[in-house]
Amino acid sequence: MSSSPLIQTLDVKKTYVTESVETPALRGVSLELHKREFTAIAGPSGSGKSTLLHLLGGLDRPTEGEIFLQGQPMSELSKDQLAKLRLSSIGFVFQAYNLIPVLTVLENTAFVLELQGVARRERISRAQKILSELGIEQYADQYPHRISGGEQQRVAVARAVVGEPSIVLADEPTANLDTATSHDLIDLMRRLNEHKGATFLFATHDSRLLDRVNRLITLIDGAVAEDVVQRPADARIEAAAS
Amino acid sequence: MKAAIRHIMRNRRRTTLTLLAVLIPVYFLVMMFGFANSMMQDMFDSVTRFDTGHMQIRAEERRGTGLAMPLMRDASDALGALASVDGIEWSTVRLDLPALASVGEETRTVYLRGVVPEEIDPISNMAERMVSGEFLTETSDGVIVGEELAELLKLQVGDEMVLLGAHPEASLGAIRVPVVGVFSAPEATMGRTMVLASLSTARRLARSDTAATAIVLRVDGVTGPSDTRRMDEAAAALRAALPAGYEVKDWLELVPFVTGYLRILTPMMLIMAVVFFGLGALVVVNTLYLSVMERTREIGLILSLGASRAHVMGMVLTEAGVITLAGAFYGALVGVALVLIVEAFGGIPLWGQMAAYMKEIGISPVMHMSVTATQVLLSAGAMAVVAMLAAWLPARRAAKLEPMEAMRYVE
């Protein structure tokens, strides 16, 4: 890639310390992520996928090394500045959907916009638009517990992209979903990646997802074991068919 | 904001508990103000109407008068000065003499109060206080006595008593007077010691045609114990106008026991307010802590989405603020409603020892209630402030959560 990276990590290490026991989670990860990439971080449980995602998302700080977001070193940012950065530049999708139970689907989607200070009328219009694009506008007035897991995860994706962040970080987004729903969700995110130019980075060990990304980073024992740029399976199938 | 409001609605039991923690102290404080106001007003009315007036002009304290009030041989210069002062609604001359009252073998120390009956009746409603016989007239030679004294001396209307003057500055006189009536005194001590006569009868005992011990005054526009500004202004004007040798004393100086009650009442109210507010604040802290604990994962999520700590704090404080305002409002509403209901039913009658004690200290044994808008606002406002200060702790805890730790939190 010739453009400047969206995210760059330099020898990032993370060690958790509990009662004087040190557990290394990342042992020096250096990588670059560019705009419009649709990337997965794969690896077995405990390989450091989620840790890396949290560090990239500014939810945690590395023990050593540096992370740059759009050239800005994240270690120099205070907690409040990190919060601002998350709000303006990073969208999150979590494994357990994590919608706010007292807000409706529309309100959950518009929540990030509210935090960004977008005017009420505009945030409702933008939230409705994204719900419609994701095919869940009919649930706008429902509370999260009234819709299925797959639909909740779609709402989580809608919430993650509605604020037009630089990157969407998704931690095991399909882990709780059945195959069909997982495929739907992946298709949805691919569409957002292709049509809206949203950059996605997943932590996953779901093979259904690994096949569909255009870059696959494999972590083993907290270090990058493999970093492969690939042609997504659906593109390969489409090419074969034509 | 929306999330905060929805949380209030989601856990109704906890919301109700928090609401009550604010509501009950406000309601109690309004009620306490209601009782205290009424008690003070009752004491004020009873004392100022029957005994002291709002203030009195007296001769300056002199040595040698003992417990007796210093005698004014001729108060005409003081009365002249009084006429030049604005804002005096009513005045009357009075002569109080310590005396011995004898009936048969019984003798008791009493106070003979010489009054102008036509002047004091409209203020003290003495005619309504008569238990038997008739109230005095200026030409009447008789006396009226309190129920308690009548019982002690076994007196009935029509009996005679001998009064022996004992004022150290007056001549020693003795008069035989008929008892023309028995009255119900507002206060038991007064009922045991007070003998009321016309001013001319009292002057006969003092062997003086002009003697007086006080000019009793009521100040225009003063209706209760809190109207101190008008009283202070009138007292200052009087002091400036009076010739040397006189002093002006207001009702609180004349009945020090009321000042004593006031001294006790204010700290008592404060202590009770602190206890109620403290308990209310504890419940608010507890329930909000619980609410924050239960929502730790949700707060973690909100923080991870990019909410600032100020936003999270604002969310918890908004929730507390809405409940607090509602609690303070309804507490004030319930308090005021109960005050109005109590008054609509004519007050709460006391009985037994309590009623006897109230009579003893000159307060009506029927408890009335009244409360001012300032007191209601003060009660509600103070509790709202205390509750919001209490809410600060859980709000700060919520704001200090680390997003990832909070999201991993397991209840």
Side-chain angles (χ1 to χ4, degrees), chain A residues 141-154:
Chain A
D141 295 328
Q142 300 282 356
Y143 285 94
H145 68 275
R146 311 277 297 193
I147 58 177
S148 71
E151 288 152 358
Q152 285 191 50
Q153 198 60 305
R154 277 175 177 243

Side-chain angles (χ1 to χ4, degrees), chain A residues 86 105 107 141 157 166 200 206 211:
Chain A
R86 286 197 296 273
V105 163
E107 288 162 353
D141 295 328
V157 171
S166 308
F200 280 86
D206 185 346
D211 228 18

Side-chain angles (χ1 to χ4, degrees), chain B residues 99 101-103 110-115 117 126 130 132-137 139-146 149-150 153 155-163 175-183 194-202 204-205:
Chain B
S102 289
V103 179
V110 295
Y111 242 93
L112 176 70
R113 173 162 293 177
V115 296
M126 276 304 296
M130 297 309 295
S132 59
E134 288 175 353
F135 185 53
L136 301 167
T137 59
T139 53
S140 159
D141 281 340
V143 295
I144 58 172
V145 297
L149 185 63
L153 293 177
L155 272 171
Q156 285 186 339
V157 174
D159 292 347
E160 284 195 330
M161 66 158 63
V162 174
L163 290 168
I175 53 174
R176 181 182 292 275
V177 285
V179 174
V180 297
V182 176
F183 65 89
M194 188 67 72
V195 176
L196 279 174
S198 68
L199 186 60
S200 55
T201 304
R204 201 147 55 83
L205 184 65

Side-chain angles (χ1 to χ4, degrees), chain A residues 17 22 50 54 87 106 124-125 130 161-162 181 201-202 207 241:
Chain A
V17 181
E22 290 191 357
S50 293
H54 296 157
L87 184 59
L106 182 70
I124 287 174
S125 144
I130 196 80
V161 297
V162 73
T181 314
L201 176 65
F202 311 93
S207 57

Side-chain angles (χ1 to χ4, degrees), chain B residues 269-286:
Chain B
M269 293 274 289
L270 267 175
I271 289 168
M272 289 182 83
V274 166
V275 170
F276 278 123
F277 283 2
L279 287 174
L282 269 179
V283 177
V284 170
V285 170
N286 246 323

Side-chain angles (χ1 to χ4, degrees), chain B residues 126-394:
Chain B
M126 276 304 296
E128 287 174 22
R129 289 189 168 273
M130 297 309 295
V131 177
S132 59
E134 288 175 353
F135 185 53
L136 301 167
T137 59
E138 181 52 38
T139 53
S140 159
D141 281 340
V143 295
I144 58 172
V145 297
E147 283 176 292
E148 292 82 354
L149 185 63
E151 202 179 318
L152 287 166
L153 293 177
K154 299 178 184 65
L155 272 171
Q156 285 186 339
V157 174
D159 292 347
E160 284 195 330
M161 66 158 63
V162 174
L163 290 168
L164 184 65
H167 196 291
E169 293 182 333
S171 305
L172 280 178
I175 53 174
R176 181 182 292 275
V177 285
V179 174
V180 297
V182 176
F183 65 89
S184 163
E187 186 225 333
T189 311
M190 202 178 267
R192 281 193 292 271
T193 55
M194 188 67 72
V195 176
L196 279 174
S198 68
L199 186 60
S200 55
T201 304
R203 280 175 170 167
R204 201 147 55 83
L205 184 65
R207 293 173 180 275
S208 164
D209 292 338
T210 55
T213 48
I215 301 167
V216 183
L217 312 168
R218 285 178 68 83
V219 179
D220 209 8
V222 172
T223 55
S226 55
D227 292 327
T228 49
R229 194 176 57 82
R230 285 173 195 268
M231 274 195 270
D232 290 346
E233 282 172 4
L238 275 171
R239 284 188 188 109
L242 282 170
Y246 291 100
E247 60 184 11
V248 179
K249 288 193 169 182
D250 67 25
W251 74 288
L252 283 173
E253 292 173 279
L254 296 167
V255 278
F257 82 91
V258 175
T259 318
Y261 272 109
L262 275 178
R263 276 207 197 103
I264 297 168
L265 197 66
T266 310
M268 243 174 60
M269 293 274 289
L270 267 175
I271 289 168
M272 289 182 83
V274 166
V275 170
F276 278 123
F277 283 2
L279 287 174
L282 269 179
V283 177
V284 170
V285 170
N286 246 323
T287 49
L288 278 177
Y289 252 122
L290 264 177
S291 168
V292 167
M293 294 279 281
E294 276 175 18
R295 280 188 287 151
T296 299
R297 287 166 63 98
E298 187 184 315
I299 291 166
L301 168 72
I302 290 170
L303 284 167
S304 72
L305 292 178
S308 65
R309 283 162 204 280
H311 183 98
V312 170
M313 214 164 162
M315 202 177 75
V316 178
L317 287 176
T318 300
E319 188 179 326
V322 169
I323 302 176
T324 294
L325 283 181
F329 173 74
Y330 284 113
L333 200 71
V334 171
V336 171
L338 275 170
V339 166
L340 294 177
I341 289 169
V342 165
E343 278 312 288
F345 282 93
I348 302 168
L350 301 172
W351 63 94
Q353 293 286 319
M354 194 54 151
Y357 175 72
M358 289 304 206
K359 176 90 197 293
E360 186 74 30
I361 62 171
I363 299 174
S364 161
V366 176
M367 288 299 283
H368 291 277
M369 296 179 86
S370 67
V371 73
T372 65
T374 311
Q375 289 167 335
V376 174
L377 287 176
L378 188 74
S379 309
M383 185 63 222
V385 168
V386 169
M388 287 311 287
L389 286 176
W392 189 264
L393 288 170

Side-chain angles (χ1 to χ4, degrees), chain A residues 136-211:
Chain A
I136 43 173
E137 72 273 24
Q138 67 273 31
Y139 305 122
D141 295 328
Q142 300 282 356
Y143 285 94
H145 68 275
R146 311 277 297 193
I147 58 177
S148 71
E151 288 152 358
Q152 285 191 50
Q153 198 60 305
R154 277 175 177 243
V155 178
V157 171
R159 182 181 62 192
V161 297
V162 73
E164 295 174 357
S166 308
I167 187 165
V168 176
L169 303 175
D171 191 3
E172 305 277 8
T174 56
N176 291 345
L177 304 179
D178 59 43
T179 304
T181 314
S182 293
H183 277 296
D184 281 351
L185 190 78
I186 295 159
D187 285 344
L188 181 94
M189 291 192 284
R190 277 293 298 273
R191 276 208 313 275
L192 288 168
N193 170 246
E194 284 167 6
H195 301 142
K196 293 180 88 78
T199 309
F200 280 86
L201 176 65
F202 311 93
T204 184
H205 55 254
D206 185 346
S207 57
R208 298 167 300 193
L209 185 54
L210 299 181
D211 228 18

